[in-house]
Amino acid sequence: MVLSQIPFQTLQMKQNDKKIIILLFLFMVFYFDSHYYVAIKKKEDMYMSKNTVKLGIAGLTAAATGAALFTAKKVNDKKKEEEKTSTSEYRNTERGKYEKNSKGIYYTNGNYEAFARPEKPAGVDNKNAYIVGSGLAALAAACFLVRDGQMPGKNIHVLEAMDIAGGACDGIYDPTRGYVMRGGREMENHFECLWDLFRSIPSLEIEGASVLDEYYWLNKHDPNYSLCRATINQGKDAHTDGKFDLSTKGAMEIAKLFMTPDEDLYDKTIEDVFDEEVFDSTFWMYWRSMFAFENWHSALEMKLYFQRFIHHISGLPDFSALKFTRYNQYESLILPMQKYLEAHGVDFQFNTEVTNVEFEFVGDKKIAKTIECKVNGTETGIVLTENDLVFVTNGSCTEGTIYGDQDHAPNGDAEVRTSGCWSLWKNIAKQDPSFGHPEKFCSDISKTNWESATVTTLDDKIIPYITNICKRDPRSGKTVTGGIVTCRDSSWLMSWTINRQGQFKNQDPNKVCVWVYGLFTDVDGDYIKKPMRECTGKEITEEWLYHLGVPTDQIEELATNSARCVPTMMPYITAFFMPRTKGDRPDVIPDGCVNFAFLGQFADTPRDTVFTTEYSVRTAMEAVYGLLGVDRGVPEVWGSVYDVRELLDSSVKLMDGKSPLEINLGPLNVFKKPILKAIKGTVIEKLLKDHDVIKSNMKY
């Protein structure tokens, strides 16, 4: 007897029973359908045949998992169906497996391609490359042109509107304000393209080492993890204790999202697919504070994040999945790349704002013909041929940043720094639908903004309150908070973090730089009764000190004399999370483009997630390899979503250690023991035991 043969009415299910059964099958046929068949010995059981049967375990999921029983009849039916569709011409072969796609690239994995050095592309010495922007994606493109494309450095031109490279990867000491970090970068070991790049960039800190070597050794010697993920009631440990606190219904909602096709999530928001069962959980507090997701953001991006980092579910509560650089991202990532490029003769042109790229359309071909720009305010242009390659960073999460200071809020007549990224993309997009729809991302800053601030301590008075929470000496030079500490009851949903000090190479060793951010900028604070966006640096420090547990009669004095704070309001910081549909983000190489590609967070590449360093570098690699014809595989996005071990492991971790087999399945409970008996003594049983799906105290 199989489940499909049981009359539904004989189960006499109530509505809740139906939900439980739906949940079971969501868990059992999750996302992908990979079947593992195993022959088992004869069983003297009423549920088993006397003949050898075949069992299928399908879809071991991220939210839970189970074993689905497939009888010999079902297997035979499937084989017969396959035989109907097969043809005599079919042959097994790997020929063509790595043929380039329509964009001129192919994806691969393993170290064969990773260690290979591609041949020099034909005619590369006679080509020029113009790269618009100098953020991580742009500099990565220049590095790939030099290393893999073997293009002469003098032929590569980086056009930057600002007077400094780095884009959103910043970190600077401003003599008029103090230390400024608009954000930080959380990285992990499976950023395949990022580490492929940085294995070739010389470290500025360790002679003879690469940036990857430096980073690898650092995180081996000083592994990252948090000792207090969240606080409540003015600095008291919220005791999240590594738990997600998801209900069965909440887990089912996540499972359903996980297996929903991308196209069914176009223009959908997270609140379209989740309700309070998820939003009231500790899981959601972890998730939205770490990744800066809001309820109205894209359900598709949420799903992609969940799939992309399924192997790190167990590291989400304490940040043990994360790795950080020694210094701020400008000094640790951007400067080494810039020095590498300058050593190869790459041409950097600062104070050069590109305003448009004009195209010529010939049949199906789209040819970039002119770059329009302003150099130190003077309009000029660059005439292009098909031999000239153009790479444009379209859109920017830090565009239009408003800078405040200790005594001024980032509003009114505060300084605004703009590079024209959004205007440039809009001008390009007007020329062809394949160039995307920037207005989907930059038209509603009420849904795309949040504010960060850099607080620098000036003496020892605040340090004990920090140490009381993070349980570490913030001036040790090693891991401090291990990631953000979220003030769970903060009306701003304030989070703060202290990375290895000094965060700046020339930082005063007695000072500590703290990065603070608030996800909700338009509501009154808990101590400062005004919205964060209207607060001066001093007032933001006061709100932070309140949630740190500083007695209220000491807050103003410490905020005035023991700290300096630089607030930065970023109108578009989560613009890439806005709900979208196919085509809103243009392909890295739009169809028909022969000498033009997009780079960065607003270009589209399959399966990867925006708001990561990996995404920037991946789009750069794809753009260079595709346009220049580099014959080397682009590393595919890490395949943990297809790894049954990771899915099993994450299913138990997401349910706070509870096995899916411990869930009350109502009428289906009768099938648990027969299934467990059927797999006894097989590799499937071992697999389930190894990942705590089958526990030692389970009797079967």
Side-chain angles (χ1 to χ4, degrees), residues 420-456:
C421 290
W422 291 107
S423 297
L424 169 61
W425 186 13
K426 288 177 181 178
N427 287 335
I428 293 173
K430 290 175 185 176
Q431 300 175 60
D432 192 86
S434 69
F435 296 155
H437 306 106
E439 63 280 353
K440 286 293 287 285
F441 306 98
C442 66
S443 298
D444 189 352
I445 62 174
S446 69
K447 294 183 177 179
T448 60
N449 80 87
W450 47 256
E451 186 173 349
S452 72
T454 308
V455 178
T456 304

Side-chain angles (χ1 to χ4, degrees), residues 545-620:
L545 293 176
Y546 173 79
H547 285 288
L548 220 57
V550 174
T552 55
D553 61 351
Q554 299 177 31
I555 287 177
E556 183 175 6
E557 192 276 328
L558 291 182
T560 302
N561 299 313
S562 296
R564 287 289 179 273
C565 176
V566 183
T568 54
M569 165 58 72
M570 293 167 284
Y572 306 106
I573 189 63
T574 53
F576 28 62
F577 286 160
M578 291 299 284
R580 63 180 174 90
T581 190
K582 185 176 177 59
D584 289 339
R585 288 199 314 225
D587 290 345
V588 171
I589 303 175
D591 290 341
C593 285
V594 297
N595 65 342
F596 178 87
F598 288 111
L599 305 172
Q601 305 295 313
F602 295 92
D604 196 54
T605 184
R607 287 186 51 220
D608 216 340
T609 50
V610 291
F611 214 176
T612 62
T613 50
E614 171 71 357
Y615 199 92
S616 292
V617 177
R618 176 173 294 278
T619 58

Side-chain angles (χ1 to χ4, degrees), residues 437-613:
H437 306 106
E439 63 280 353
K440 286 293 287 285
F441 306 98
C442 66
S443 298
D444 189 352
I445 62 174
S446 69
K447 294 183 177 179
T448 60
N449 80 87
W450 47 256
E451 186 173 349
S452 72
T454 308
V455 178
T456 304
T457 65
L458 305 179
D459 54 33
D460 294 338
K461 294 180 180 179
I462 299 174
I463 302 301
Y465 298 97
I466 294 172
T467 305
N468 182 57
I469 292 172
C470 70
K471 316 300 184 197
R472 295 182 177 116
D473 178 3
R475 291 181 289 201
S476 67
K478 295 185 176 182
T479 295
V480 185
T481 60
I484 58 171
V485 179
T486 297
C487 306
R488 192 166 189 172
D489 53 351
S490 164
S491 58
W492 293 350
L493 195 60
M494 175 185 282
S495 298
W496 57 278
T497 185
I498 302 175
N499 289 327
R500 298 177 179 102
Q501 300 295 301
Q503 263 293 279
F504 297 80
K505 287 185 67 174
N506 296 323
Q507 183 178 322
D508 183 335
N510 294 314
K511 295 179 179 179
V512 173
C513 286
V514 186
W515 184 75
V516 179
Y517 96 99
L519 206 54
F520 307 134
T521 63
D522 56 352
V523 295
D524 288 350
D526 302 294
Y527 179 77
I528 299 295
K529 302 299 183 181
K530 57 198 293 190
M532 186 179 186
R533 62 169 66 237
E534 297 177 11
C535 289
T536 66
K538 176 188 169 185
E539 290 169 329
I540 290 172
T541 302
E542 290 180 294
E543 184 76 6
W544 173 62
L545 293 176
Y546 173 79
H547 285 288
L548 220 57
V550 174
T552 55
D553 61 351
Q554 299 177 31
I555 287 177
E556 183 175 6
E557 192 276 328
L558 291 182
T560 302
N561 299 313
S562 296
R564 287 289 179 273
C565 176
V566 183
T568 54
M569 165 58 72
M570 293 167 284
Y572 306 106
I573 189 63
T574 53
F576 28 62
F577 286 160
M578 291 299 284
R580 63 180 174 90
T581 190
K582 185 176 177 59
D584 289 339
R585 288 199 314 225
D587 290 345
V588 171
I589 303 175
D591 290 341
C593 285
V594 297
N595 65 342
F596 178 87
F598 288 111
L599 305 172
Q601 305 295 313
F602 295 92
D604 196 54
T605 184
R607 287 186 51 220
D608 216 340
T609 50
V610 291
F611 214 176
T612 62
T613 50

